[in-house]
Amino acid sequence: KMCIPFPNAAFCLCSSVKMRVDLLQLFVILLLCGSGGDSAQLSDCKPNVERSKSSGKSLTTDRKLVCSNMELHQVLPPDSIPNRTLTLILNNNKIQELRNGSFFGLSTLEKLDLRNNMISRIEPGAFLGLPSLKRLDLSNNSIGCLNVDIFKGLTNLIRLNLSGNIFSSLAQGTFDSLTSLKSLDFQTPYLLCDCNLLWLLRWIKDRNIAVKNTKCSYPQSLQGQFITSIRPELLTCDAPLELPSFQLTPSQRQVVFQGDSLPFQCQASFVAEDMQVLWYQNGRMVKPDAAQGIFIEKRMVQNCSLIASALTISNIQPGFTGNWECRVWTSRGNTTRTVHIVVLESSAKYCAPERVSNNKGEFRSGHF
Ligand SMILES: *[C@@H]1O[C@H](CO)[C@@H](O)[C@H](O)[C@H]1NC(C)=O
Ligand SMILES: *[C@@H]1O[C@H](CO)[C@@H](O)[C@H](O)[C@H]1NC(C)=O
Ligand SMILES: *[C@@H]1O[C@H](CO)[C@@H](O)[C@H](O)[C@H]1NC(C)=O
Ligand SMILES: *[C@@H]1O[C@H](CO)[C@@H](O)[C@H](O)[C@H]1NC(C)=O
Ligand SMILES: *[C@@H]1O[C@H](CO)[C@@H](O)[C@H](O)[C@H]1NC(C)=O
Ligand SMILES: *[C@@H]1O[C@H](CO)[C@@H](O)[C@H](O)[C@H]1NC(C)=O
């Protein structure tokens, strides 16, 4: 990545390695923008460099750094950013992770825009060293996991936007570091309004936080209702269990050949501490059995918001025909996803015609 700070520090032009700024273009930009005086029409320089409000001469005016749409995969090193920057725009890039101290030293920064990236991991202390930050936009990323240590140091943050992420719940105390917060948006397509959000409702009331746009996505009975309009009695964890996300792959009927290997994946929102993912064939629980070639791998609590399990049957035998089921078990109830598997004996010279025409799976006549 390359970052070119301009002499008058009014703004800076950033580019990823992939995006070449050719020399002529650069020359023109320098001519237009580096010449001091009132900043020229900065918006003319490059489509993604926004117009700065200020004249670069004054030390007290707005300083804005726009690095949108630049295919950035990482945050720029904080020491490459002028430390008097007030606004840092990093939206519409491909940033996946925020490391501890990602913005360290930007002590005057007031606004940080990270929306429309691919952030799934934020380390504790990612926002350390931003004592002046007032607005933080993390919307439209893939954040499944938040906790109090992530927001450490943001004591002056006033507005936080977390909407469009993948979490279905928020852990108690997540916002405890944000002692100045006044406005919060946390709408997600997975937001599950249950007993686990009671603390948040109370906290919003106590702290008099303005909650913008945020509606429940689950359970169905509360879908579309503003979270702040819901009576606390309705935020329950009683049955029936509704999972904001629950997927079994393959999801459609499969036809496989004896001796093949078949991997199943099951992934569900993690909504209760006692949650388990179990596998069944025709109603009977499947246990790992190396001798039979049955392997089960469990990855507990990915992202704080997901639980996953993978079942692999190597060397499929005719006896494995039937309904294969992933069952999510909790004390709040169970839910299941099922897929039908048909095993064709490899010695079979022919198949019953209706069997062949019925399949939507991976059947290929070339095998016969
Ligand atoms: C900004 O950086 C310069 C040198 O790089 C340093 O002298 C100055 O103290 C820094 N200012 C702040 C507010 O950190
Ligand atoms: C969210 O980001 C993706 C790219 O990461 C983009 O395609 C999509 O339009 C964005 N959605 C919104 C609502 O901005
Ligand atoms: C993050 O970095 C700061 C200093 O840069 C350090 O004091 C702190 O212990 C680190 N935190 C973690 C969780 O690594
Ligand atoms: C939060 O971000 C989303 C998506 O970027 C946007 O639609 C919404 O208006 C923002 N909320 C606030 C309060 O600005
Ligand atoms: C979060 O979950 C998504 C979807 O399963 C996955 O792609 C990503 O790697 C996970 N991130 C972490 C940090 O576990
Ligand atoms: C969940 O499944 C177990 C068997 O795995 C069964 O004993 C139990 O009654 C089920 N609970 C609910 C609420 O359906």
Side-chain angles (χ1 to χ4, degrees):
K1 288 112 266 138
M2 180 169 76
C3 215
I4 310 156
F6 281 84
N8 60 15
F11 76 105
C12 158
L13 184 69
C14 302
S15 166
S16 68
V17 182
K18 279 185 190 150
M19 182 180 235
R20 282 172 296 135
V21 178
D22 74 47
L23 281 176
L24 181 64
Q25 209 178 355
L26 190 62
F27 180 69
V28 172
I29 293 168
L30 282 168
L31 262 184
L32 284 169
C33 311
S35 53
D38 278 341
S39 30
Q41 299 292 311
L42 297 186
S43 54
D44 295 341
C45 298
K46 241 173 162 272
N48 41 26
V49 174
E50 281 175 21
R51 193 167 190 272
S52 168
K53 282 182 204 160
S54 65
S55 95
K57 272 183 175 169
S58 166
L59 286 175
T60 52
T61 47
D62 194 358
R63 270 177 291 276
K64 185 169 178 177
L65 186 74
V66 180
C67 305
S68 313
N69 296 301
M70 296 212 147
E71 306 257 327
L72 295 176
H73 289 254
Q74 275 164 6
V75 171
L76 307 162
D79 54 9
S80 72
I81 297 170
N83 64 1
R84 292 172 303 147
T85 306
L86 298 182
T87 298
L88 178 55
I89 312 283
L90 289 163
N91 70 308
N92 294 78
N93 282 294
K94 297 193 168 145
I95 299 164
Q96 293 175 9
E97 184 183 28
L98 299 179
R99 298 245 167 86
N100 180 12
S102 282
F103 306 97
F104 206 86
L106 301 181
S107 55
T108 60
L109 196 69
E110 293 183 359
K111 181 179 172 190
L112 176 57
D113 184 351
L114 287 160
R115 96 195 116 96
N116 292 357
N117 274 281
M118 298 157 69
I119 300 166
S120 64
R121 210 177 108 75
I122 305 181
E123 283 187 8
F127 301 109
L128 279 174
L130 293 173
S132 309
L133 198 69
K134 294 190 172 76
R135 301 174 67 154
L136 175 58
D137 192 341
L138 288 166
S139 67
N140 198 15
N141 278 285
S142 304
I143 303 166
C145 200
L146 287 165
N147 61 57
V148 65
D149 293 328
I150 284 172
F151 296 119
K152 240 178 349 195
L154 294 178
T155 49
N156 282 308
L157 195 74
I158 294 171
R159 298 161 70 102
L160 175 62
N161 194 340
L162 293 170
S163 80
N165 280 286
I166 65 167
F167 56 82
S168 51
S169 197
L170 289 161
Q172 175 144 21
T174 296
F175 304 120
D176 282 357
S177 320
L178 307 179
T179 48
S180 303
L181 198 73
K182 290 196 165 62
S183 160
L184 178 66
D185 183 342
F186 58 100
Q187 168 77 54
T188 86
Y190 305 101
L191 193 66
L192 175 62
C193 293
D194 68 3
C195 66
N196 295 309
L197 286 185
L198 267 173
W199 74 271
L200 187 55
L201 215 56
R202 240 178 270 129
W203 178 83
I204 286 165
K205 267 216 180 91
D206 289 352
R207 290 279 314 278
N208 197 20
I209 304 286
V211 174
K212 303 268 172 67
N213 306 330
T214 308
K215 296 173 180 172
C216 301
S217 298
Y218 293 86
Q220 226 135 53
S221 57
L222 297 176
Q223 198 166 60
Q225 298 199 32
F226 285 105
I227 180 141
T228 44
S229 73
I230 292 171
R231 293 201 315 277
E233 312 86 82
L234 294 177
L235 292 182
T236 70
C237 284
D238 302 339
L241 179 66
E242 277 186 50
L243 296 175
S245 168
F246 187 16
Q247 283 153 11
L248 171 62
T249 48
S251 59
Q252 302 239 316
R253 184 176 189 272
Q254 296 287 300
V255 178
V256 294
F257 289 92
Q258 182 175 10
D260 279 359
S261 166
L262 184 60
F264 295 92
Q265 287 274 350
C266 189
Q267 183 174 288
S269 300
F270 185 73
V271 302
E273 289 300 325
D274 66 352
M275 208 161 163
Q276 292 183 56
V277 181
L278 305 169
W279 294 93
Y280 289 78
Q281 182 203 2
N282 297 329
R284 280 203 339 269
M285 194 190 287
V286 177
K287 297 257 170 66
D289 182 346
Q292 288 231 61
I294 297 176
F295 304 94
I296 297 179
E297 177 209 326
K298 205 165 286 183
R299 279 166 295 135
M300 290 292 286
V301 201
Q302 276 186 336
N303 289 338
C304 299
S305 60
L306 294 168
I307 187 169
S309 179
L311 167 71
T312 302
I313 315 167
S314 57
N315 192 17
I316 289 205
Q317 294 304 311
F320 291 144
T321 290
N323 288 321
W324 288 78
E325 178 190 320
C326 171
R327 183 177 300 184
V328 169
W329 183 97
T330 75
S331 51
R332 293 163 67 172
N334 310 326
T335 56
T336 69
R337 291 276 185 278
T338 303
V339 64
H340 190 72
I341 301 297
V342 176
V343 182
L344 299 181
E345 288 182 46
S346 51
S347 60
K349 290 274 187 287
Y350 64 92
C351 270
E354 78 270 26
R355 234 186 182 182
V356 175
S357 57
N358 273 349
N359 87 74
K360 299 178 199 155
E362 311 213 308
F363 171 78
R364 273 171 290 146
S365 55
H367 274 83
F368 285 82

Coordinates of all heavy atoms in Angstrom, one line a residue, residues 317-353:
Q317 N -21.5 -46.8 2.3 CA -22.1 -48.1 2.0 C -23.6 -48.0 1.8 O -24.2 -47.0 2.3 CB -21.8 -49.1 3.2 CG -20.3 -49.4 3.4 CD -19.7 -49.9 2.1 OE1 -20.2 -50.9 1.5 NE2 -18.5 -49.4 1.7
P318 N -24.2 -49.0 1.2 CA -25.7 -48.9 0.9 C -26.5 -48.7 2.1 O -27.5 -48.0 2.1 CB -26.0 -50.3 0.3 CG -24.7 -50.7 -0.3 CD -23.6 -50.2 0.5
G319 N -26.0 -49.2 3.3 CA -26.8 -49.0 4.5 C -26.9 -47.6 5.0 O -27.6 -47.2 5.9
F320 N -26.1 -46.7 4.3 CA -26.2 -45.3 4.7 C -27.3 -44.5 4.0 O -27.4 -43.3 4.1 CB -24.8 -44.6 4.4 CG -23.7 -45.1 5.4 CD1 -22.4 -45.2 4.9 CD2 -24.0 -45.4 6.7 CE1 -21.4 -45.6 5.7 CE2 -23.0 -45.8 7.5 CZ -21.7 -45.9 7.1
T321 N -28.0 -45.2 3.1 CA -29.2 -44.6 2.5 C -30.2 -44.1 3.6 O -30.4 -44.8 4.5 CB -29.9 -45.6 1.5 OG1 -29.0 -45.8 0.4 CG2 -31.2 -45.1 1.0
G322 N -30.8 -43.0 3.4 CA -31.8 -42.5 4.3 C -31.7 -41.1 4.6 O -31.1 -40.3 3.9
N323 N -32.5 -40.7 5.7 CA -32.5 -39.3 6.1 C -31.4 -39.0 7.0 O -31.3 -39.6 8.1 CB -33.8 -38.9 6.7 CG -34.9 -38.9 5.7 OD1 -34.7 -38.4 4.5 ND2 -36.1 -39.4 6.0
W324 N -30.5 -38.0 6.7 CA -29.5 -37.6 7.6 C -29.9 -36.2 8.1 O -30.3 -35.3 7.4 CB -28.1 -37.5 6.8 CG -27.6 -38.9 6.5 CD1 -28.1 -39.7 5.5 CD2 -26.7 -39.6 7.3 NE1 -27.4 -40.9 5.6 CE2 -26.5 -40.9 6.7 CE3 -25.8 -39.3 8.4 CZ2 -25.6 -41.8 7.1 CZ3 -25.0 -40.2 8.8 CH2 -24.9 -41.5 8.2
E325 N -29.7 -36.1 9.4 CA -30.3 -35.0 10.1 C -29.2 -34.3 11.0 O -28.5 -35.0 11.7 CB -31.4 -35.5 11.0 CG -32.2 -34.5 11.8 CD -33.2 -35.3 12.7 OE1 -33.8 -36.3 12.3 OE2 -33.3 -34.9 13.9
C326 N -29.2 -33.0 10.9 CA -28.4 -32.2 11.9 C -29.4 -31.6 12.9 O -30.3 -31.0 12.5 CB -27.7 -31.1 11.2 SG -26.9 -29.9 12.3
R327 N -29.2 -31.9 14.2 CA -30.1 -31.5 15.2 C -29.4 -30.6 16.2 O -28.4 -30.9 16.7 CB -30.7 -32.7 16.0 CG -31.7 -32.3 17.0 CD -32.4 -33.4 17.7 NE -33.1 -34.3 16.8 CZ -33.8 -35.4 17.2 NH1 -33.9 -35.7 18.5 NH2 -34.4 -36.2 16.3
V328 N -29.9 -29.4 16.3 CA -29.4 -28.4 17.3 C -30.2 -28.6 18.6 O -31.5 -28.4 18.6 CB -29.5 -27.0 16.8 CG1 -29.2 -26.0 17.9 CG2 -28.5 -26.8 15.7
W329 N -29.6 -29.0 19.6 CA -30.2 -29.3 20.9 C -29.9 -28.2 21.9 O -28.7 -27.8 22.1 CB -29.7 -30.6 21.4 CG -30.4 -31.1 22.6 CD1 -31.4 -32.0 22.7 CD2 -30.0 -30.8 24.0 NE1 -31.7 -32.2 24.0 CE2 -30.9 -31.5 24.8 CE3 -29.1 -29.9 24.5 CZ2 -30.8 -31.3 26.2 CZ3 -29.0 -29.8 25.9 CH2 -29.9 -30.5 26.7
T330 N -30.9 -27.6 22.5 CA -30.7 -26.7 23.7 C -31.8 -27.0 24.7 O -32.8 -27.6 24.4 CB -30.8 -25.2 23.3 OG1 -32.2 -24.9 23.1 CG2 -30.0 -24.9 22.0
S331 N -31.6 -26.5 25.9 CA -32.7 -26.6 26.9 C -33.9 -25.8 26.5 O -35.0 -26.0 27.0 CB -32.2 -26.2 28.3 OG -31.6 -24.9 28.2
R332 N -33.7 -24.9 25.5 CA -34.9 -24.1 25.0 C -35.6 -24.9 23.9 O -36.6 -24.3 23.4 CB -34.4 -22.8 24.4 CG -33.8 -21.9 25.5 CD -33.0 -20.8 24.8 NE -33.8 -19.8 24.0 CZ -33.3 -18.7 23.5 NH1 -32.0 -18.4 23.7 NH2 -34.0 -17.9 22.8
G333 N -35.2 -26.0 23.6 CA -35.8 -26.8 22.5 C -34.9 -27.3 21.4 O -33.7 -26.9 21.5
N334 N -35.4 -28.0 20.5 CA -34.5 -28.5 19.4 C -35.0 -28.1 18.1 O -36.2 -27.8 17.9 CB -34.6 -30.1 19.4 CG -34.3 -30.7 20.7 OD1 -33.6 -30.2 21.5 ND2 -35.0 -31.8 20.9
T335 N -34.1 -27.9 17.1 CA -34.6 -27.8 15.7 C -33.7 -28.6 14.8 O -32.5 -28.9 15.2 CB -34.6 -26.3 15.2 OG1 -33.3 -25.8 15.4 CG2 -35.6 -25.5 16.0
T336 N -34.2 -29.0 13.7 CA -33.4 -29.9 12.8 C -33.4 -29.5 11.4 O -34.3 -28.7 10.9 CB -33.9 -31.3 12.9 OG1 -35.2 -31.4 12.3 CG2 -34.1 -31.8 14.3
R337 N -32.4 -29.9 10.7 CA -32.4 -29.8 9.2 C -32.0 -31.2 8.7 O -31.2 -31.9 9.3 CB -31.3 -28.9 8.7 CG -31.5 -27.5 9.0 CD -32.4 -26.8 7.9 NE -32.5 -25.4 8.1 CZ -33.4 -24.8 9.0 NH1 -34.2 -25.6 9.7 NH2 -33.5 -23.5 9.1
T338 N -32.7 -31.7 7.6 CA -32.6 -33.0 7.1 C -32.3 -33.1 5.7 O -32.7 -32.2 4.9 CB -33.9 -33.8 7.4 OG1 -34.2 -33.7 8.8 CG2 -33.8 -35.3 7.0
V339 N -31.5 -34.0 5.3 CA -31.2 -34.2 3.8 C -31.3 -35.7 3.5 O -30.9 -36.5 4.3 CB -29.9 -33.6 3.4 CG1 -28.7 -34.2 4.0 CG2 -29.7 -33.6 1.9
H340 N -31.9 -36.0 2.3 CA -32.0 -37.4 2.0 C -30.9 -37.9 1.1 O -30.5 -37.2 0.1 CB -33.4 -37.7 1.3 CG -33.7 -39.1 1.1 ND1 -34.1 -39.9 2.1 CD2 -33.7 -39.9 0.0 CE1 -34.3 -41.2 1.7 NE2 -34.0 -41.2 0.4
I341 N -30.3 -39.0 1.5 CA -29.1 -39.6 0.8 C -29.5 -40.9 0.1 O -30.1 -41.8 0.8 CB -27.9 -39.8 1.7 CG1 -27.5 -38.5 2.4 CG2 -26.8 -40.4 1.0 CD1 -27.1 -37.4 1.5
V342 N -29.2 -41.1 -1.1 CA -29.4 -42.4 -1.8 C -28.1 -42.9 -2.2 O -27.3 -42.2 -2.9 CB -30.3 -42.2 -3.1 CG1 -30.4 -43.5 -3.8 CG2 -31.7 -41.6 -2.7
V343 N -27.8 -44.1 -1.8 CA -26.5 -44.7 -2.1 C -26.7 -45.8 -3.2 O -27.5 -46.7 -3.0 CB -25.8 -45.4 -0.9 CG1 -24.5 -46.0 -1.2 CG2 -25.7 -44.4 0.3
L344 N -26.0 -45.6 -4.3 CA -26.1 -46.6 -5.4 C -24.9 -47.6 -5.2 O -23.8 -47.2 -5.1 CB -26.0 -45.9 -6.7 CG -27.1 -44.9 -7.1 CD1 -26.9 -44.3 -8.5 CD2 -28.5 -45.5 -7.0
E345 N -25.3 -48.8 -5.3 CA -24.2 -49.8 -5.2 C -23.3 -49.8 -6.4 O -23.8 -49.7 -7.6 CB -24.8 -51.2 -5.1 CG -25.5 -51.5 -3.7 CD -26.0 -52.9 -3.6 OE1 -25.3 -53.8 -4.0 OE2 -27.2 -53.0 -3.2
S346 N -22.1 -49.8 -6.2 CA -21.2 -49.6 -7.4 C -21.2 -50.8 -8.3 O -20.9 -50.7 -9.5 CB -19.7 -49.4 -6.9 OG -19.4 -50.4 -6.0
S347 N -21.6 -52.0 -7.8 CA -21.7 -53.2 -8.6 C -23.0 -53.2 -9.4 O -23.1 -54.0 -10.4 CB -21.7 -54.4 -7.7 OG -22.8 -54.4 -6.8
A348 N -23.9 -52.3 -9.1 CA -25.2 -52.3 -9.8 C -25.0 -52.0 -11.3 O -24.3 -51.1 -11.7 CB -26.2 -51.2 -9.2
K349 N -25.6 -52.8 -12.1 CA -25.5 -52.6 -13.6 C -26.6 -51.7 -14.1 O -26.4 -51.1 -15.1 CB -25.7 -54.0 -14.3 CG -24.5 -54.9 -14.0 CD -23.4 -54.7 -15.0 CE -22.3 -55.8 -14.9 NZ -21.5 -55.6 -13.7
Y350 N -27.6 -51.5 -13.3 CA -28.7 -50.6 -13.7 C -29.3 -50.1 -12.5 O -29.1 -50.6 -11.4 CB -29.7 -51.4 -14.6 CG -30.4 -52.4 -13.8 CD1 -31.6 -52.2 -13.2 CD2 -29.9 -53.8 -13.8 CE1 -32.3 -53.2 -12.5 CE2 -30.5 -54.7 -13.1 CZ -31.7 -54.4 -12.4 OH -32.4 -55.4 -11.7
C351 N -30.2 -49.1 -12.7 CA -30.9 -48.5 -11.6 C -32.4 -48.5 -12.0 O -32.7 -48.4 -13.2 CB -30.6 -47.0 -11.4 SG -29.2 -46.8 -10.3
A352 N -33.2 -48.6 -11.0 CA -34.7 -48.4 -11.3 C -34.8 -47.0 -11.9 O -34.3 -46.1 -11.4 CB -35.5 -48.5 -10.0
P353 N -35.6 -46.9 -13.0 CA -35.6 -45.7 -13.8 C -36.1 -44.5 -12.9 O -35.6 -43.4 -13.0 CB -36.6 -46.0 -14.9 CG -36.7 -47.4 -15.0 CD -36.3 -48.0 -13.7

